[in-house]
Amino acid sequence: MNILDWVDVGKVSAERDDLLSEYFFDNGVLKSVIESPSSFLVLGRKGAGKTAVFKHLSDNKNKFIGEDDMLIPLSFEDYNWNVHALLVDENKAQSLAYKQSWRFVILIECIKAFREWFIQHGKKVPEQLENANKLLEKLFDSPVPSISQLVGRKLLSLSGISLPKGGLDLEDGGLDSINVSGGNVSFDDVKKDRSLQQHLSENIENLIRYLDAVLTNIVSDCPNIYICFDRVDEAWDDVSYDSSKRVIAGLVSASDSITAQYNGLIRPIVFLREDIFDVLSINDANKLREDCGALLHWAKPSLANLMLRRINYYATSSGVDMVEDLDSMFDKKEMRQRTRPFNYLLKRTMMRPRDLISIMGKIIQTMREKADDPFADGKLTFEKLEAESIYSAEPGYSDWLKQEILDEWGVQKPVIVQLFNAIQNNASTNFTSDDLARELENLNIDANKSEVLSHIRFLFDNSIVGFKLGESKEWRFKCFYPAQGFLDSDEYRVHEGLVRALNLRENRDRD
């Protein structure tokens, strides 16, 4: 049977893959973060599979949390990030500046969800909870709007509403005394008027105190609730970089405090790119990473199993025998330098699912184009994947990998473009710190010795380059050896996956 009649690996992008739930492979990160009551962060590099994990948890909550526990998945594809800037408490540290606005929306989600839980289970809604929901309906609408609707014009309307500063007492008709006739207020109205901003901030603070008091009194009678945040980097671009840093730092700080305050009964879980977390202004960021986070890391066996899960979904759907290992899919057991096909592919990835899916997809596409060559005498058929097509697919994959890294770091580290240019101009897979300094100087970029070393450390931390371990012939790249720290070396080597995109010659060719 022609392997091209059935073989596929699915889509690179999890959010666009309708079949993800059919062949998702769980590497254990969800179990790790959910079983630790203090954990609320799932960190991973771009392409590590955070959105895939988020979708899998959303679609299969009973595999990971209790039957009665609640899960609220929030994905920020369409969200008014700018509103948070109007809720800032300027008297607080920058790392806490946006904390309260996130606390507010998280608490509202909890009020809505807990009330719905009592109703669905035929139980009487606690009076405090019912009153809180009535207040939110009076302030915003009935039913209480979704988070994407709330953080917009509806929230801004609070700047024109009078709430008692001494605290909210909704017993004995207190709700009727609240005046909500503030009228429509636009973003620009609040942005230009400091008094409206101050009024908005005071009302938010007042509501947070009230909602916190309600939840504190009822949470022990409610199921655990998990509020999951994905795609919080949607506004991560060179225009919104500074504001996005503060907004995301606020979400992390709010999630930390809520997790601690409610002893894990209310659990925000934030799926966040590791490179973004690293540049946030957060107190004790390293402590949060160690104590409150789970790193979405992949090893060779887990990546192989992930790929086999995908391939075998298409195999069984076509009535083909399941594939036992990836090497058996290729027509040659060994490639150049006696490397097995899967190892050859793995060395060109940064140990991320997206990389492996991309290169495998390009191999299959290369073979399809070869089979459909309009100038060939007849249509080719293949019993197995062609090892030779790996070499043909490499240039396109290498360009893709380079662009992935530029997308990952172009905003917070724009010098990445010049670093790639300097490495490309050096023209060799291997280089020294002096080589990099010279090429940066040729690009009119001033960099002293310590700055050059800092650039190389950044390149190493992101597996763009590796270094030789002592006098051995072993090269260490961070993606393959995560525990390896940076060592100043006499010579560095560019990652195999980037060699084609940067048009580099092997070092022996240069010599």
Side-chain angles (χ1 to χ4, degrees):
M1 183 176 183
N2 186 359
I3 193 171
L4 296 183
D5 288 343
W6 64 267
V7 71
D8 203 345
V9 292
K11 294 181 180 178
V12 170
S13 176
E15 53 268 28
R16 296 181 181 89
D17 194 341
D18 296 332
L19 295 173
L20 182 66
S21 60
E22 300 289 342
Y23 45 61
F24 178 82
F25 177 77
D26 179 21
N27 72 345
V29 69
L30 283 175
K31 187 173 184 290
S32 173
V33 72
I34 287 175
E35 288 185 352
S36 173
S38 64
S39 293
F40 63 89
L41 281 170
V42 177
L43 301 174
R45 284 192 69 180
K46 188 176 188 293
K50 297 178 300 301
T51 294
V53 172
F54 171 84
K55 284 189 65 177
H56 186 63
L57 175 60
S58 303
D59 295 340
N60 303 275
K61 82 175 189 71
N62 289 338
K63 290 183 179 180
F64 302 99
I65 64 177
E67 185 175 348
D68 283 338
D69 290 343
M70 306 177 70
L71 179 75
I72 302 176
L74 300 173
S75 185
F76 292 86
E77 297 176 69
D78 182 19
Y79 185 77
N80 194 343
W81 297 96
N82 292 325
V83 170
H84 286 272
L86 303 181
L87 309 180
V88 171
D89 186 342
E90 295 182 348
N91 296 319
K92 295 184 178 181
Q94 181 179 346
S95 61
L96 303 177
Y98 293 78
K99 178 179 176 180
Q100 291 297 74
S101 57
W102 280 114
R103 282 185 64 86
F104 184 59
V105 296
I106 291 172
L107 295 180
I108 287 178
E109 287 293 329
C110 291
I111 293 290
K112 289 163 51 182
F114 284 146
R115 178 177 180 272
E116 184 64 24
W117 181 83
F118 277 101
I119 293 173
Q120 287 182 351
H121 286 76
K123 298 183 178 183
K124 178 176 171 45
V125 179
E127 185 176 7
Q128 284 182 305
L129 182 59
E130 188 62 46
N131 284 337
N133 189 74
K134 287 180 180 178
L135 172 63
L136 295 176
E137 288 184 345
K138 185 168 186 177
L139 292 176
F140 301 119
D141 216 340
S142 177
V144 180
S146 67
I147 188 172
S148 59
Q149 296 169 326
L150 177 64
V151 183
R153 187 178 298 276
K154 292 182 182 296
L155 188 60
L156 295 177
S157 66
L158 288 180
S159 63
I161 292 174
S162 297
L163 296 176
K165 295 182 180 179
L168 289 166
D169 183 2
L170 302 186
E171 305 299 329
D172 300 323
L175 181 64
D176 296 330
S177 67
I178 296 175
N179 179 15
V180 295
S181 59
N184 289 328
V185 182
S186 72
F187 179 87
D188 288 336
D189 290 338
V190 181
K191 184 177 181 181
K192 295 174 183 177
D193 192 327
R194 287 293 302 148
S195 64
L196 285 178
Q197 291 180 36
Q198 183 63 30
H199 199 190
L200 177 61
S201 180
E202 289 175 355
N203 282 339
I204 294 292
E205 290 278 354
N206 201 359
L207 285 167
I208 286 174
R209 284 195 296 271
Y210 169 70
L211 296 177
D212 260 332
V214 171
L215 289 170
T216 298
N217 288 334
I218 69 164
V219 71
S220 60
D221 297 322
C222 299
N224 291 350
I225 187 168
Y226 298 82
I227 305 172
C228 302
F229 297 86
D230 186 41
R231 305 191 72 176
V232 294
D233 58 345
E234 283 297 293
W236 194 258
D237 54 47
D238 52 1
V239 175
S240 308
Y241 172 60
D242 288 332
S243 59
S244 293
K245 279 177 61 178
R246 294 190 287 270
V247 170
I248 296 173
L251 173 58
V252 173
S253 296
S255 299
D256 183 21
S257 66
I258 286 176
T259 300
Q261 177 182 346
Y262 290 95
N263 296 316
L265 298 177
I266 296 177
R267 291 276 303 280
I269 299 179
V270 182
F271 292 75
L272 184 60
R273 274 170 42 185
E274 192 178 3
D275 58 289
I276 292 178
F277 179 81
D278 287 342
V279 299
L280 299 180
S281 298
I282 301 175
N283 292 330
D284 296 326
N286 285 336
K287 181 180 178 181
L288 286 181
R289 177 193 285 272
E290 293 295 325
D291 297 344
C292 306
L295 184 62
L296 186 51
H297 172 70
W298 297 85
K300 181 178 178 179
S302 56
L303 277 177
N305 286 331
L306 176 145
M307 185 54 64
L308 285 171
R309 182 74 65 90
R310 288 172 172 255
I311 289 169
N312 283 324
Y313 168 78
Y314 291 100
T316 54
S317 298
S318 300
V320 177
D321 291 340
M322 293 182 65
V323 178
E324 294 184 1
D325 67 90
L326 294 173
D327 286 327
S328 68
M329 294 189 68
F330 290 91
D331 60 359
K332 292 181 181 179
K333 293 182 179 180
E334 292 183 344
M335 301 181 64
R336 297 168 190 167
Q337 299 174 342
R338 303 189 67 180
T339 305
R340 296 182 71 84
F342 182 52
N343 280 345
Y344 186 92
L345 295 176
L346 205 63
K347 284 185 177 180
R348 279 142 186 84
T349 74
M350 292 186 171
M351 300 297 284
R352 303 178 300 190
R354 189 178 296 183
D355 301 343
L356 189 57
I357 295 167
S358 175
I359 195 169
M360 285 290 290
K362 291 185 184 304
I363 293 166
I364 295 167
Q365 182 60 32
T366 296
M367 292 179 62
R368 293 192 194 283
E369 292 174 359
K370 185 174 182 179
D372 294 332
D373 186 348
F375 303 106
D377 293 335
K379 186 170 182 177
L380 294 174
T381 60
F382 303 89
E383 290 187 10
K384 294 190 173 186
L385 294 181
E386 193 180 44
E388 194 64 32
S389 289
I390 296 178
Y391 303 127
S392 301
E394 269 192 84
Y397 164 75
S398 189
D399 286 336
W400 174 88
L401 182 61
K402 177 186 174 184
Q403 190 57 52
E404 281 288 290
I405 296 171
L406 290 175
D407 290 345
E408 182 178 10
W409 283 101
V411 173
Q412 61 271 36
K413 196 88 170 179
V415 73
I416 184 66
V417 176
Q418 285 77 23
L419 292 175
F420 271 152
N421 289 339
I423 291 172
Q424 185 166 6
N425 291 342
N426 188 57
S428 173
T429 55
N430 293 25
F431 66 91
T432 66
S433 57
D434 289 339
D435 291 334
L436 184 61
R438 181 190 66 249
E439 297 301 341
L440 288 173
E441 184 178 355
N442 290 339
L443 294 170
N444 297 317
I445 299 172
D446 293 329
N448 57 38
K449 187 173 182 179
S450 64
E451 289 171 331
V452 170
L453 193 61
S454 177
H455 288 321
I456 295 175
R457 180 187 291 271
F458 161 73
L459 294 171
F460 170 77
D461 286 341
N462 288 278
S463 303
I464 298 166
V465 304
F467 59 81
K468 188 182 290 187
L469 198 61
E471 297 299 322
S472 70
K473 294 183 179 180
E474 185 177 356
W475 291 88
R476 287 293 177 119
F477 289 84
K478 190 76 171 179
C479 57
F480 304 129
Y481 304 97
Q484 177 66 60
F486 176 74
L487 295 175
D488 188 8
S489 177
D490 294 334
E491 192 174 25
Y492 303 94
R493 173 174 284 183
V494 177
H495 188 283
E496 293 279 4
L498 295 166
V499 170
R500 296 296 189 93
L502 297 175
N503 196 27
L504 303 179
R505 298 189 304 271
E506 291 288 345
N507 190 51
R508 58 179 177 271
D509 295 335
R510 182 187 68 173
D511 293 342

